[in-house]
Amino acid sequence: MNTKERARIQEAFKEKLDYDELMNCTRCGFCLPSCPTYIETDEDELHSPRGRIALMKGVVDGVIEPNEKVKHSIDMCLGCRACEPVCPSGVQFGNLLEQARDAIYENHKQSIVEKTIRKIAFKHLFPHHNRIISTTSLIGLYQRSGLQKFLHKTKMMNILPENMRAMEKVLPNVPRKKEMKARPHLVKAISPHKKRVAFFSGCLMDTMFMESNDATIKLLQYAGCEVIIPKTQNCCGALNGHSGEGKTAKMMAQANIEAFEKENIDYIITNAGGCGAYLQNYEQLFQDNDEWKERAIHFSKKIKDITTILVELDFHKQPLSLPEQMVTYQDSCHLRNGQQTFVEPRKLLQSIHGVSYVEMKDAHRCCGSAGIYNLIQSEMSMQILDYKMMQVNHSNAKTIVTSNPGCFLQMKLGVEREKLHEEIEVVYLIDLLLQAYEHAQ
Ligand code: SF4
Ligand code: SF4
C-alpha cells in the first residue's frame, strides 16, 4: 500500500466505522475462545475479535496506519459472528467488519485480475438473477456434456489450483436453464391453510440448489402455508456486503424490499442461514437514509427461517420417518449467531423416527466456508475444516446435516478430502425433512 492509499483508507475508516460500537468493546476478552481464527493461529491476538476491534479503533483514532497487517487481519476474519453472542457488551462485530471491509476495498489499489474478478462477480453477476441462471446453467452443461468426465479422465483438471479442483468435485448436479426459470407466483397450501408467506428464493439456492428450494416450498405447503414467490426479488447481497461492496449490496437490498413490500404476507421465509441473517440486518445498510431504514426494518421483521415456521406450525408433530441412521448437525454460523436459530433444526431432526441424533463437539464452530473465504483464504479454511471433520469422525454420525449452501459444499469437501464419500453423506436439512415427511406417508 502506498502513502496515498493508506491516507484514503484512513479517511474512509473515520467516515464509515461506527465509533460508538468500537467504544462498546471493553477488551474483556470473553470472545477470544469462540473465535476460530484466534484458536487456529495459536491465540494470535491479531486474529481475534478483540485484536481486530483494537486495530479498527486505532486506525480511526489515527494511531495505527491502515497497512497490509491491518488488511490481513480483517481479511482473515471469517465473518462467522461467533464473537457476538458471547460478548457481554453486545458488540455487533459483524457490522464493524463490513464497515472496515468497505473502507479498505473501496480505496485500496487492486491488481487488474482482482479488480476484474470483483467487478464481474459483484457488479455484473450477483445483482442480476438472469445472469446467475445463465452462468450456473453453464456448469450444468459442463457436467452433462461429458466435458467434466473428459477433463477428469485426462487429468487436465490439474491445471486448476487445488482449492478450485476440490470445490469442482463437490458441486451438486445443476439443472437445465429452462428448468431454473419455471416458478409460479403463488402456490396453495396442501394441508389446512394456516399462514400466507412469501418465499425468498435467493441466487445460488434457486439455481444450483434448486431442488432444495422446491423442497422448501413443498414443506411450507404441507405445513399449511400459501406461498408467494415474488418475481422481482434478487440475491440478498450478502456476498457483496461481506466483501466490501456495500454500494451494490444496498441496491440489491432496495430491490428486495420493493419486491416483498407489495405482498400481503405474514412472513418472508428463507432457507439459507447466510441469506436470512443478511436480510434481517438490512437496516444497517441504510443508516444515512431514514425512509429506507424504516422500510428495511419493516421488511426484516418478517424474515423467518424455514425451521422456525415449521416448528411454529407443529410440523415436527406430524409423522416423519427415515431408514435408521445416525445424524449430526453442523450449525450455519449466520443462522445461529445472526438469527439465533439453533434449537429448531435440532428439534426437527430429533422428531424423525429412525434418526439417532448425535451432537458433535463444537457443532457451533464455523466449518470454514464463510462465503468465498474457502476460495480466497484456502489454507486457513482447510485448517478449520480439518478440525470439523475430526469432530464428525468422533461423533460416528454417517449423515451430516447442514442449513446453508456454503456449509453444505464445505462439509462435502471435508468428506471428500477424508475419502469418506462412501461412508458419510451430507444433506441439506430441508431435503431430509421432505424425505422424512414423504417416507412416513
Ligand atoms: S467480548 Fe465483546 S467487549 Fe469483550 S473483548 Fe470481545 S468484543 Fe470486546
Ligand atoms: S467473526 Fe468469527 S472469525 Fe471474525 S472475529 Fe468474530 S469469531 Fe473471529
Side-chain angles (χ1 to χ4, degrees), residues 35-94:
C35 176
T37 54
Y38 178 70
I39 297 167
E40 295 296 338
T41 54
D42 293 329
E43 306 190 349
D44 183 346
E45 185 75 21
L46 191 68
H47 297 302
S48 76
R50 183 173 64 182
R52 289 177 175 123
I53 292 171
L55 288 179
M56 292 176 199
K57 187 169 175 298
V59 173
V60 176
D61 289 342
V63 292
I64 293 177
E65 280 215 318
N67 53 18
E68 284 299 337
K69 198 170 159 189
V70 173
K71 181 175 174 293
H72 180 57
S73 168
I74 300 293
D75 282 347
M76 283 283 279
C77 176
L78 293 148
C80 66
R81 295 169 64 182
C83 43
E84 288 184 21
V86 293
C87 173
S89 309
V91 173
Q92 300 291 297
F93 183 84

Side-chain angles (χ1 to χ4, degrees), residues 155-262:
K155 301 209 181 331
M156 280 171 76
M157 288 304 290
N158 294 351
I159 56 167
L160 287 180
E162 197 192 334
N163 53 349
M164 302 283 276
R165 272 200 324 264
M167 202 40 93
E168 186 268 352
K169 270 194 194 162
V170 298
L171 289 177
N173 291 331
V174 179
R176 289 169 202 280
K177 191 171 177 177
K178 60 179 182 210
E179 290 166 332
M180 292 189 213
K181 290 200 164 177
R183 268 207 200 287
H185 176 245
L186 182 148
V187 290
K188 297 256 180 223
I190 294 175
S191 64
H193 179 251
K194 294 174 191 157
K195 297 277 178 204
R196 185 178 158 92
V197 302
F199 176 50
F200 180 80
S201 48
C203 57
L204 277 191
M205 285 309 293
D206 216 31
T207 50
M208 206 174 273
F209 291 85
M210 207 182 106
E211 282 182 17
S212 301
N213 264 6
D214 293 343
T216 307
I217 295 169
K218 264 272 161 61
L219 283 172
L220 287 168
Q221 289 178 279
Y222 286 138
C225 295
E226 183 172 72
V227 188
I228 310 273
I229 308 143
K231 287 216 186 305
T232 51
Q233 62 176 304
N234 61 18
C235 166
C236 64
L239 282 177
N240 288 47
H242 299 325
S243 309
E245 295 285 338
K247 276 187 195 148
T248 42
K250 213 185 244 190
M251 277 161 45
M252 289 151 92
Q254 285 173 320
N256 281 326
I257 293 168
E258 275 175 346
F260 283 87
E261 64 188 2
K262 290 179 200 147

